[in-house]
Amino acid sequence: MPPKSTAQRRLAKEYQQLSKDRPEGILAGPVREDNLFVWECLLAGPPDTAYEYGVFRAVLTFPKDYPLAPPSMKFDPPLLHPNIYADGSVCISILHAPGNDPLQYERSEERWSPVQSVEKILLSVMSMLAEPNTESGANIDACKLWRHDRPAFERQVHQQVRRSLGL
């Protein structure tokens, strides 16, 4: 068996840590034992939000040069949220490449850094679900709905919560 890459060793260690000390509302791990670069995640909707009681599936895809570069994350099926593109891709600072933001929306310390971890990513996404950043939204329609018709936004999210539970 060939020696494991730095990324594989790091991902194995993070998976072991997450398995041992799992944050509440988060379940995550590799889809297959022979490929540490694709993880399935189940996230519980944060309490006291429109997402409460939902269980949402997402996929984390890690680049071969992880942890130097961030993974990408995509909800499947997509979620209605100001910081989630219509295709389900998550737009959050911690998943943006290191360095300065060319659009100057984010400080460099908010962006990806190799000291981040899968756990930190997932906790950040849970926080994002509870408190969207509508100043630099990924889904403009969701941003407009969030700002101008919160009851309609919450009705649509409640429908997604019910679907996530098979109801």
Side-chain angles (χ1 to χ4, degrees):
M1 189 157 112
K4 287 187 175 180
S5 68
T6 301
Q8 289 169 314
R9 286 192 305 276
R10 168 81 179 257
L11 288 167
K13 183 178 178 182
E14 289 195 49
Y15 176 55
Q16 183 179 44
Q17 178 62 36
L18 264 179
S19 298
K20 192 170 47 176
D21 188 21
R22 184 172 61 86
E24 187 174 334
I26 294 174
L27 186 60
V31 173
R32 293 189 349 246
E33 286 182 29
D34 64 342
N35 181 3
L36 294 172
F37 292 97
V38 180
W39 288 32
E40 184 173 49
C41 311
L42 294 175
L43 301 177
D48 303 318
T49 71
Y51 302 94
E52 186 173 25
Y53 306 118
V55 178
F56 306 104
R57 180 184 178 275
V59 174
L60 268 173
T61 306
F62 296 89
K64 298 297 181 204
D65 61 347
Y66 180 81
L68 298 177
S72 62
M73 186 172 181
K74 187 173 185 176
F75 280 96
D76 181 26
L79 276 179
L80 178 68
H81 189 279
N83 306 116
I84 299 174
Y85 288 100
D87 73 350
S89 298
V90 174
C91 180
I92 188 171
S93 300
I94 195 173
L95 294 178
H96 294 161
N100 293 322
D101 177 9
L103 301 175
Q104 299 182 351
Y105 283 117
E106 304 163 333
R107 296 186 315 272
S108 61
E109 59 271 16
E110 296 173 318
R111 295 167 70 92
W112 179 256
S113 156
V115 300
Q116 305 293 7
S117 66
V118 173
E119 179 178 354
K120 174 85 163 111
I121 292 166
L122 297 175
L123 290 171
S124 295
V125 170
M126 294 280 284
S127 177
M128 175 202 79
L129 288 176
E131 297 176 31
N133 176 359
T134 59
E135 296 304 313
S136 64
N139 183 328
I140 301 307
D141 293 333
C143 282
K144 287 179 185 175
L145 207 52
W146 170 269
R147 283 192 202 123
H148 304 296
D149 193 352
R150 189 73 59 88
F153 177 89
E154 290 182 356
R155 277 193 302 278
Q156 288 185 39
V157 170
H158 289 147
Q159 289 173 341
Q160 290 182 317
V161 166
R162 291 178 58 79
R163 279 194 300 272
S164 82
L165 299 172
L167 302 173

